[in-house]
Structures are given as C-alpha cells and as structure tokens.
C-alpha cells in the first residue's frame, strides 16, 4: 500500500508540473573553473540569452569546496566533502579511487535517473583521476550511464584519451576532429538527434574543459578579446597581511611577469568559453528543431570559481574567498518564469536533489543538499508534496499524524548557513622547480604557491536578511581564524576576527562544528535562519 501511495503522489506531481504525465528531459552543462566575480559570463552571450533570460539566474550560487574533484563529487552526490570523502584531486585524496567507486559513485543523479527510466548520456570531464590505472582504467564506466564519453584525467583540449563506453579512444591535435569542446558539442548533438517525443525521457550531461588550463581556444577565436585584461578590483595585487599563512607568503607586489601572464590567461579563458557558447546554442537549437525544448530543463553551472591576481595570487582556485567559491547558475525549463533573477542561496550540493526532483521524484532525503525546485517553480514546493503524502497516508491508515506546513524553502529569500571546506595539497620535493616550497603545491608563476598542506580550512558562510558573513577556521599550527562582514567589506579586504564579540564567536564556532559533522537530514535542519548575530 505504501508503495502504491508513493507512486500516486509522484505521478500527481509529474502531471501537475509537466502536464502530459511524461517525465521531463534534462540537460546539465558543467564548465570548469568558471568564475562570476571576474565577469566570467561575459563571453557567453548565447548562454545568457537562451538559458538565463529564458529562465532563472541565481545571484548567490556557491560551491562547498573550491577545487575540481571535491566539488564535482558534491555535484554528483549532493553531499559535502566530509561525507563523500573526496578531499582533493589525487587518488590518495579520494578522487575517483576505489572507495569512491564502491560507495558514493553508486548513488548519484545518474543512478537515480537511470532507475526512473531515463536514457542517460555523458560527455567530457568527469573526475580528475578518472581512467587512470589506479582508478580502474578506461574500462570503468560509472553506474547510471547508457552512453559514456569520459575524459581520462584532467581537462585538456587536444592530445587526450576518452573512454567511449569503456574502450580507449585516442585524440590528437587536429582541430576538426579533436578539439574537445567541439567533440562534446557534436556527440551530444548526435544523441539529441535520436530523441523524440515518443522516446524515453533523457538526461544529458556535457562537461567541458573550458575554461580550465591549458586554455586552448578554437582557432577561429584566438584573436578575440585582445584588448581585455583581468579586472583590477580592490583585492587585485593587494597584500594579505592579516590572512592565513599561504596568503601572507604571496610576494607583494606581484612581479610584472606574473601580471603579464595572468592577463594573458584571462583573455585565453574567455576565448575557450566562446566554444561553450556555441555548444549551448547548438543544444538549444537541436532541442527546438526536435520539438523537445518546451519539455526540457537546461541547467548551466561551474565546478568552482577562479582568481587572477587577487591578494597577489597570480592564478588558481582553492581559496576560501568569494572569487573562488561563487559560480554561475542558470536554469530554464517547463513552468520556470522567463527572466527571473533570484537572491535565493544555492550550493553545489543542491544540484543532485534538484535534478532528481525536476525529474518527478521527491528529492532524496539521504543527501546534504536541498532541492531548488520550490525556487524554480514556486507553486510546487517540497512541503506541498510532504503534506499531500502525509494526508494521503493518514486517510489510508486511519491515523492522525501531524502533517508539515513549513519547510526550509519557506525561509526568506537569501537566507542560509552552509559549509565551505578544503584540504590543502603539497609536494614533498617542491613544485615546478621552485625552491623552499616544502609543504606547498602548484607553485607557478614565479614560484608563487597557490596551495599548501596548511591551506586546510572549514568556513561558515552565512547569508540572512541584513547579514552576509564568513567565519573560517584554518587547520594549521596557528589555529588561524578569519572573519568578514561582506555587507561592509564585500571584497574581504580586512580580517576582522579580533573585533568579533566572544558570544558571537562561540555561536559561529558551534554552528561550524555542527556543519562539519552533519549528514543528510542533519545538514538540512541547519538551513533555516539562525539568530546568532
């Protein structure tokens, strides 16, 4: 009886939202290292026009870890780093290793949707260590995917290997056959051309290398943006004397050669995104020509942000500041009002439950994130479903259980506490030929180190009406702390931890500990507004 009741509730939701009773199609577009604080959406004219202006744009989208493999693992599973345990980009750090494959990888949005009858397609970068010998080689196909085109290892545009349904496919440096963003574009197009209103619902994930290093743009775009330079915002080339060890050790001012390099990287990153923009247009045009556009959700986001010169760090991510943790999020699809802009908070752990919920099933209750569907489609909320479920069950079982009438989504717009966490990496024998880099990693250019073993931290990011703050605890020998009131100091220029009142500091520490330990429902219970300040 319980099983039949659940089916009826799910079908009621599907019919209410999607009209014809068929589950919607979903396309998920994931870029790599794309910021928003340095105008990273500027090159994506088609993307803004065809997704953002035809749907909803989130002003406050964050990642729970500013590094590729941990963030991607959170996107796939809906869980914080401390629960999926992918700590960094290495095998030893949990990236696509046996523990990942025997655990979290078996419960992703792909496995959920496959179980719901979806036809699934993947093309592009998966996880940084995917396809390596220690990660099971190219024969390993993550569960849930019908058609698999997975890039072996990290982002590249030429001279790479793909796992195509478990078999190695080598690619060289010919633009027309090998440029990875275009290959992803072409293969997703081929998959979509096979779909129709009579075929099963489909889920397509395209995961581009852009705008990650090595920043190879398509040849037709190499002359674009020649006069642009990285934004010179308030934190550009500014010393971080009141910040944690790694920031304090970045030479200030930056060497002129570093500035030249980062400006060149800025232009190259924008150029790589032009091919992503072409892909977005092709996907939308194909869906439109197949008469599938109106029944398809399209989600666009990135795995982490980026910095170029902020606090004298030439180029990378991995830091706790806004430039590395803020990313774009645009969604269009059935019942989403075109041209909507929202201040509601979204985190990468919300992507997985949102996709499952959009597909017509209740958002999973064993993940840390929440569904964004009540924001995307305000007249359909999880509390509506929960209440309907509860009332139906009461009627069938002749019980009088209290039924819910509120849930975290009814909190004020722009109101949430969430966790940012990172485990620093290091190389025991230096990096890029640099000297004096013990405990450091990614030291380039001019041997400026972008990560270190003691660049390990947990942060409480809080946004409520009138409140926007970040409190961080760094796991180093100094037990260093940082605090920023982003309403007063949006660029996080001054660490004001010494001015925080002891009761407020104690309250923030307590909530941070709860977030560091939370799992599933315990994480979601921490979402409604708090009165610490």
């Amino acid at each position: 009886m319980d099983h039949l009741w659940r089916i009826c509730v799910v079908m009621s939701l599907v019919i209410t939202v999607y009209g014809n009773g068929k589950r919607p199609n979903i396309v998920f577009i994931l870029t790599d290292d794309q910021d928003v604080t340095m105008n990273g959406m500027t090159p994506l004219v088609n993307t803004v026009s065809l997704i953002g202006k035809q749907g909803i744009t989130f002003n406050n989208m964050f990642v729970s870890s500013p590094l590729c493999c941990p963030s991607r693992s959170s996107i796939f599973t809906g869980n914080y780093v401390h629960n999926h345990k992918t700590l960094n980009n290495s095998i030893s750090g949990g990236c696509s290793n046996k523990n990942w494959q025997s655990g979290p990888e078996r419960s992703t949005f792909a496995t959920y949707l496959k179980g719901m009858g979806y036809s699934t397609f993947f093309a592009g970068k998966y996880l940084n260590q995917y396809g390596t010998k220690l990660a099971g080689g190219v024969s390993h196909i993550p569960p849930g995917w019908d058609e698999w085109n997975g890039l072996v290892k990290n982002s590249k545009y030429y001279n790479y290997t793909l796992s195509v349904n478990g078999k190695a496919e080598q690619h060289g440096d010919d633009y027309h056959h090998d440029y990875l963003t275009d290959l992803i574009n072409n293969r997703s197009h081929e998959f979509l051309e096979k779909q129709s209103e009579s075929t099963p619902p489909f889920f397509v994930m395209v995961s581009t290398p852009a705008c990650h290093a090595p920043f190879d743009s398509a040849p037709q775009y190499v002359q674009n943006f020649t006069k642009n330079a990285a934004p010179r915002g308030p934190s550009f080339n500014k010393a971080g004397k009141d910040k944690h060890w790694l920031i304090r050790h970045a030479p200030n001012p930056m060497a002129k050669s570093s500035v030249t390099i980062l400006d060149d990287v800025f232009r190259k990153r924008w150029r790589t995104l032009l091919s992503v923009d072409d892909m977005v247009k092709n996907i939308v045009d194909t869906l439109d020509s197949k008469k599938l556009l109106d029944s398809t959700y399209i989600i666009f986001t990135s795995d982490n942000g980026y910095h170029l010169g902020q606090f004298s760090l030439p180029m990378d991510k991995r830091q706790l500041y806004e430039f590395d943790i803020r990313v774009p999020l645009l969604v269009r699809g059935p019942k989403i009002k075109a041209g909507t802009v929202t201040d509601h908070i979204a985190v990468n752990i919300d992507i997985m439950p949102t996709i499952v919920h959009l597909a017509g099933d209740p958002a999973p209750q064993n993940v840390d994130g929440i569904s964004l569907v009540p924001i995307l489609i305000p007249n359909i909320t999880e509390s509506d479903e929960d209440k309907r479920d509860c009332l139906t069950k009461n009627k069938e079982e002749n019980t009088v259980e209290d039924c819910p009438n509120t849930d975290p989504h009814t909190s004020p717009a722009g109101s949430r506490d969430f966790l940012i966490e990172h485990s620093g990496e290091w190389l025991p024998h230096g990096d890029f030929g640099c000297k004096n880099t013990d405990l450091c990693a990614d030291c380039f250019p001019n041997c400026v180190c972008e990560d270190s073993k003691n660049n390990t931290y947990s942060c409480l990011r809080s946004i409520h009406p009138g409140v926007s703050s970040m409190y961080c605890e760094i796991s180093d020998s100094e037990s260093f702390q940082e605090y920023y009131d982003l309403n007063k100091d949006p660029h996080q220029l001054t660490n004001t931890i010494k001015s925080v009142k002891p009761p407020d500091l104690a309250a923030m520490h307590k909530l941070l500990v709860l977030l560091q330990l939370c799992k599933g429902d315990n994480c979601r219970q921490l979402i409604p507004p708090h009165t610490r300040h």
Side-chain angles (χ1 to χ4, degrees):
M1 182 65 72
D2 183 74
H3 178 65
L4 293 175
W5 153 69
R6 175 62 64 177
I7 291 176
C8 290
V9 170
V10 169
M11 290 310 299
S12 174
L13 173 67
V14 172
I15 293 171
T16 300
V17 180
Y18 314 121
N20 61 3
K22 180 184 176 181
R23 296 183 188 272
N25 310 305
I26 303 173
V27 175
F28 179 36
I29 303 166
L30 182 66
T31 58
D32 198 347
D33 286 5
Q34 187 185 354
D35 67 277
V36 288
T37 65
M38 295 185 299
N39 307 317
M41 288 299 295
T42 299
L44 295 166
V45 176
N46 293 322
T47 303
V48 172
S49 175
L50 297 174
I51 304 180
K53 291 185 178 180
Q54 296 302 316
I56 186 170
T57 299
F58 283 75
N59 287 333
N60 291 309
M61 171 63 179
F62 297 85
V63 296
S64 56
S65 182
L67 186 60
C68 297
C69 206
S71 179
R72 287 167 179 264
S73 299
S74 291
I75 289 170
F76 278 103
T77 64
N79 290 323
Y80 281 123
V81 171
H82 64 268
N83 286 325
H84 61 64
K85 301 190 185 306
T86 299
L87 303 179
N88 54 46
N89 288 342
S90 67
I91 286 285
S92 61
C95 184
S96 200
N97 68 8
K98 292 181 179 179
N99 290 333
W100 161 263
Q101 293 174 6
S102 63
E105 190 178 60
R106 297 183 179 182
S107 186
T108 66
F109 48 59
T111 62
Y112 269 81
L113 268 62
K114 183 61 182 172
M116 294 160 64
Y118 274 74
S119 175
T120 58
F121 170 92
F122 179 91
K125 177 178 174 178
Y126 177 51
L127 301 175
N128 297 56
Q129 297 296 329
Y130 172 76
T132 62
K133 183 177 181 180
L134 292 176
V138 297
S139 63
H140 174 71
I141 303 173
W145 299 103
D146 293 317
E147 296 194 29
W148 178 255
N149 300 267
L151 175 67
V152 174
K153 299 183 71 173
N154 204 359
S155 283
K156 295 183 74 175
Y157 301 81
Y158 295 107
N159 299 304
Y160 56 85
T161 301
L162 287 181
S163 169
V164 179
N165 297 323
K167 294 184 179 180
E169 181 180 279
Q170 305 295 332
H171 285 268
D173 57 5
D174 178 74
Y175 168 69
H176 296 287
H177 296 95
D178 302 315
Y179 189 68
L180 183 54
T181 304
D182 286 0
L183 182 145
I184 294 169
N185 184 356
N186 294 334
R187 294 197 178 175
S188 61
H189 174 78
E190 292 170 2
F191 176 84
L192 292 173
E193 281 288 343
K194 300 174 186 176
Q195 312 308 312
S196 70
E197 293 177 336
S198 62
T199 56
F202 58 80
F203 175 68
V204 168
M205 179 173 178
V206 289
S207 181
T208 76
C211 45
H212 194 287
F215 317 119
D216 295 324
S217 62
Q220 65 267 30
Y221 295 132
V222 295
Q223 296 303 316
N224 287 64
F225 310 124
T226 55
K227 295 182 180 180
N228 294 85
R232 266 56 170 173
S235 63
F236 183 85
N237 210 3
K238 179 179 174 60
K241 295 181 179 180
D242 60 356
K243 293 174 168 53
H244 62 279
W245 182 89
L246 187 67
I247 309 299
R248 297 199 306 267
H249 280 72
N252 178 266
M254 289 183 289
K256 290 183 179 180
S257 56
S258 287
V259 176
T260 299
I261 290 171
L262 69 85
D263 278 337
D264 185 50
V265 167
F266 176 81
R267 291 185 284 270
K268 288 179 176 178
R269 281 165 52 84
W270 272 20
R271 291 167 188 154
T272 67
L273 289 170
L274 294 174
S275 294
V276 176
D277 209 37
D278 292 338
M279 180 181 70
V280 170
K281 185 177 188 304
N282 190 31
I283 288 173
V284 173
D285 287 348
T286 304
L287 290 169
D288 194 26
S289 70
K290 301 290 291 184
K291 295 181 169 48
L292 296 169
L293 185 58
D294 291 340
S295 59
T296 302
Y297 288 100
I298 306 177
I299 304 168
F300 180 95
T301 191
S302 177
D303 59 0
N304 51 256
Y306 207 72
H307 59 256
L308 288 167
Q310 286 74 25
F311 299 126
S312 295
L313 296 174
M315 48 184 285
D316 199 52
K317 52 266 185 175
R318 310 170 204 253
Q319 300 306 319
L320 55 90
Y321 308 105
E322 296 285 281
F323 41 74
D324 284 357
I325 64 173
R326 279 187 178 265
V327 295
L329 177 61
L330 292 69
V331 189
R332 70 169 288 174
K335 305 295 184 180
I336 297 178
K337 185 178 179 181
T340 303
V341 178
T342 181
D343 288 330
H344 272 283
I345 315 305
V347 186
N348 61 353
I349 57 173
D350 301 335
I351 297 295
M352 184 271 198
T354 298
I355 287 174
V356 173
H357 199 187
L358 284 174
D361 269 13
Q365 296 299 296
N366 60 342
V367 301
D368 303 337
I370 59 173
S371 170
L372 301 174
V373 169
I375 302 168
L376 302 175
I377 311 170
N379 60 319
I380 298 294
T381 68
E382 281 199 304
S383 57
D384 289 336
E385 297 168 45
D386 293 341
K387 188 171 185 177
R388 184 166 58 239
D389 289 5
C390 179
L391 292 172
T392 303
K393 188 175 182 180
N394 281 352
K395 182 177 180 180
E396 293 180 348
E397 299 182 2
N398 194 29
T399 58
V400 290
E401 176 186 352
D402 288 337
C403 295
N405 54 21
T406 60
D407 90 6
H409 304 301
T410 61
S411 300
S415 187
R416 189 166 175 181
D417 297 297
F418 55 95
L419 178 66
I420 311 294
E421 48 191 341
H422 174 70
S423 295
E425 297 181 78
W426 66 292
L427 297 177
H429 303 297
D431 198 2
F432 294 100
C434 301
K435 298 179 180 179
N436 301 319
T437 58
D438 288 346
L439 306 184
C440 292
D442 206 33
C443 301
F444 174 85
N446 297 309
C447 293
V448 180
C449 297
E450 298 280 359
D451 203 6
S452 62
K453 189 175 182 180
N454 60 359
N455 183 42
T456 298
Y457 54 80
S458 294
C459 298
L460 168 66
R461 184 70 172 90
S462 298
I463 302 178
H464 303 297
V467 174
S468 181
S469 66
M470 173 173 269
Y471 166 70
C472 298
E473 296 179 353
I474 290 82
S475 299
D476 59 10
S477 60
E478 301 174 326
S479 297
F480 203 80
Q481 298 171 303
E482 296 188 30
Y483 176 81
Y484 301 94
D485 181 340
L486 281 93
N487 285 328
K488 298 178 180 178
D489 182 14
H491 299 283
Q492 297 164 291
L493 302 177
T494 305
N495 176 15
T496 58
I497 188 66
K498 293 181 180 179
S499 66
V500 178
K501 296 178 181 179
D504 289 339
L505 185 60
M508 289 189 295
H509 170 75
K510 181 179 179 180
L511 182 53
L512 178 58
V513 171
L514 290 174
L515 282 166
Q516 288 173 313
L517 299 175
C518 77
K519 185 174 183 179
D521 188 55
N522 290 332
C523 297
R524 295 192 303 277
Q525 288 177 357
L526 297 171
I527 290 172
H530 296 272
T531 57
R532 299 183 316 280
H533 302 286

